[in-house]
Amino acid sequence: MTWSIKLGRILGIDIKVHLTFLLILGWGASIYGGEAGPLYGLLVTVALFVLVLLHELGHSVAAQWFGIKVKDIILLPIGGVARLERMPEKPWQELIVAVAGPAVNVLLFLLLLPVAVAVAILQHTMLPGTLSVESITQPGALGLIMFLLSANVMLVLFNMLPVFPLDGGRVFRATLGFFMDYERATFIAVLIGRMVAVALGLLGLVTYDFFLVLMALFVYTVGGQEGQSVALRGILRKIPVERILARDRVALTPNATVEEVASQIRQSGQPNFAILDPNSHQLLGVTTSDDVAAAMANGQWYRRVAEIMRHTHQIPKIAFHATLDEAQEKLGQASSRVGAVYEGWQFRGLIDLADISRAFRLLASPKAREIVG
Ligand SMILES: [Zn+2]
């Protein structure tokens, strides 16, 4: 995510703060500081976000335990986000990953409780008669611990609201997932989450609660985006690569020149070309219209395509019988627009991101969905 600064690394995960987070520090310093001054306010705000960070680390450790990579944890003014490489799709895995965050706050609460009692007793013995309702909310050691105790309770209550994509909403989707397929469970969880988000947003507007409005916007947009990507994957999952593999694509020999490929592109509009060994018909490399355009721009129209091609080891391999969502994931992981499709050892053709989105556009229409369905 741009606009974020890396603070460090914990358990192999980059910890970042979004630049807007600095605003919250200033705001927190003035709100929580009170009589004790802005420095105490800053301490309280930082302590609050340490709780948020530990919460996100809870999700992260659970995800890593299931072999899911965690890209980073970003602290935003509205809270934290642990960005997972993929979402766990098995209901019980999602359930554990979702609950692991709030579980950390429950644990922290239980650990802080005896500390609070000890500090309260200590304060009372040193200065008898000073323990009152005011003393536990006043700035100071006891006030800070009491604040952290209540913050943990708030974090658990808020995150466990059954509103997707909050943790409670994920628990809700995972629970639905035991009874129906993942796409349907997501659809219902997102729909309910969005309805609650609209209600919370309106409540925030009426009560001038800016934080609530921000949260509602977050839930509405992020929940919707995740719902869409699940629906997309659900469609792509049903189609094997072999069904959309173009059979009329021109392949090249390594001796073809850049100029010849350019004229081929002008005639066919083909975006990428397989370069095959003339004897074994195995794939040697791939060249794209962008590679050819770059070579032409550098005046290298006379060069052999073998000199400018990307070699096979740079091209992700995709199985002929794989599904389109698997193909898309492979391309994404390799940051490549194009992949080489193999049936066993036999090269069968190239597939590119545009092929996948074209297939998706064709199949996303309601009528096609019935056919694929
Ligand atoms: Zn969480």
Side-chain angles (χ1 to χ4, degrees):
M1 195 179 275
T2 47
W3 291 94
S4 54
I5 324 163
K6 185 176 157 183
L7 290 183
R9 228 170 135 77
I10 302 175
L11 303 170
I13 304 161
D14 285 343
I15 312 295
K16 298 173 181 172
V17 287
H18 198 260
L19 278 180
T20 50
F21 178 79
L22 298 174
L23 295 174
I24 265 311
L25 287 183
W27 176 83
S30 68
I31 289 284
Y32 295 125
E35 286 170 23
L39 217 57
Y40 179 76
L42 198 65
L43 176 71
V44 170
T45 316
V46 170
L48 175 64
F49 276 89
V50 169
L51 296 185
V52 173
L53 176 61
L54 291 171
H55 171 109
E56 296 306 327
L57 282 170
H59 290 306
S60 305
V61 168
Q64 286 177 333
W65 197 60
F66 292 120
I68 298 167
K69 278 202 190 113
V70 183
K71 283 193 248 175
D72 50 23
I73 291 175
I74 301 180
L75 296 176
L76 301 158
I78 49 164
V81 182
R83 295 197 302 164
L84 308 186
E85 196 172 52
R86 62 182 172 84
M87 285 295 162
E89 293 193 4
K90 290 196 182 85
W92 61 276
Q93 288 189 352
E94 170 161 57
L95 200 69
I96 290 172
V97 173
V99 167
V104 168
N105 297 111
V106 171
L107 193 70
L108 286 169
F109 179 86
L110 294 176
L111 288 174
L112 281 170
L113 200 57
V115 179
V117 172
V119 172
I121 291 171
L122 204 66
Q123 202 165 315
H124 186 65
T125 31
M126 285 199 299
L127 298 162
T130 53
L131 200 61
S132 61
V133 178
E134 289 87 57
S135 78
I136 60 170
T137 52
Q138 259 171 17
L142 188 56
L144 181 62
I145 295 170
M146 292 309 286
F147 172 81
L148 293 181
L149 275 177
S150 58
N152 274 307
V153 173
M154 290 307 292
L155 280 171
V156 172
L157 290 181
F158 179 75
N159 279 294
M160 288 309 284
L161 284 176
V163 179
F164 192 84
L166 300 181
D167 299 336
R170 293 190 186 281
V171 170
F172 177 52
R173 171 171 73 175
T175 312
L176 289 176
F178 287 115
F179 305 102
M180 58 186 79
D181 68 53
Y182 185 70
E183 284 84 34
R184 191 166 199 86
T186 306
F187 178 78
I188 295 172
V190 168
L191 188 69
I192 293 176
R194 285 190 132 181
M195 290 195 307
V196 178
V198 170
L200 287 179
L202 288 176
L203 184 69
L205 283 178
V206 173
T207 57
Y208 298 106
D209 190 338
F210 185 56
F211 179 79
L212 201 56
V213 176
L214 265 184
M215 262 332 288
L217 276 173
F218 172 82
V219 164
Y220 194 88
T221 49
V222 176
Q225 282 165 3
E226 207 178 313
Q228 266 179 355
S229 83
V230 168
L232 169 82
R233 246 180 306 144
I235 293 174
L236 294 183
R237 200 198 308 265
K238 290 178 180 134
I239 312 158
V241 167
E242 59 188 291
R243 260 181 69 187
I244 69 153
L245 205 59
R247 316 217 172 236
D248 53 352
R249 297 258 165 107
V250 178
L252 304 169
T253 65
N255 286 325
T257 63
V258 168
E259 193 180 23
E260 283 164 3
V261 186
S263 98
Q264 192 61 254
I265 292 171
R266 276 193 296 273
Q267 281 170 30
S268 63
Q270 196 172 311
N272 44 53
F273 293 85
I275 293 132
L276 300 183
D277 184 305
N279 300 317
S280 68
H281 296 284
Q282 281 300 344
L283 185 70
L284 297 173
V286 173
T287 193
T288 67
S289 50
D290 289 345
D291 298 337
V292 171
M296 291 291 278
N298 290 330
Q300 297 173 328
W301 45 268
Y302 54 87
R303 287 184 80 178
R304 289 165 64 233
V305 76
E307 296 169 57
I308 67 154
M309 71 183 183
R310 301 172 197 199
H311 290 267
T312 36
H313 63 86
Q314 294 169 289
I315 311 291
K317 283 188 177 58
I318 290 162
F320 191 57
H321 302 295
T323 57
L324 291 189
D325 73 306
E326 291 167 337
Q328 195 183 38
E329 201 182 313
K330 275 254 170 84
L331 294 181
Q333 279 169 358
S335 323
S336 173
R337 284 195 63 81
V338 59
V341 179
Y342 284 86
E343 188 176 13
W345 287 100
Q346 188 63 43
F347 172 67
R348 300 301 299 259
L350 298 178
I351 187 167
D352 119 0
L353 281 178
D355 297 326
I356 296 177
S357 42
R358 199 176 312 118
F360 174 73
R361 277 198 303 277
L362 278 171
L363 292 161
S365 69
K367 203 166 180 80
R369 235 181 253 203
E370 281 167 29
I371 300 166
V372 181

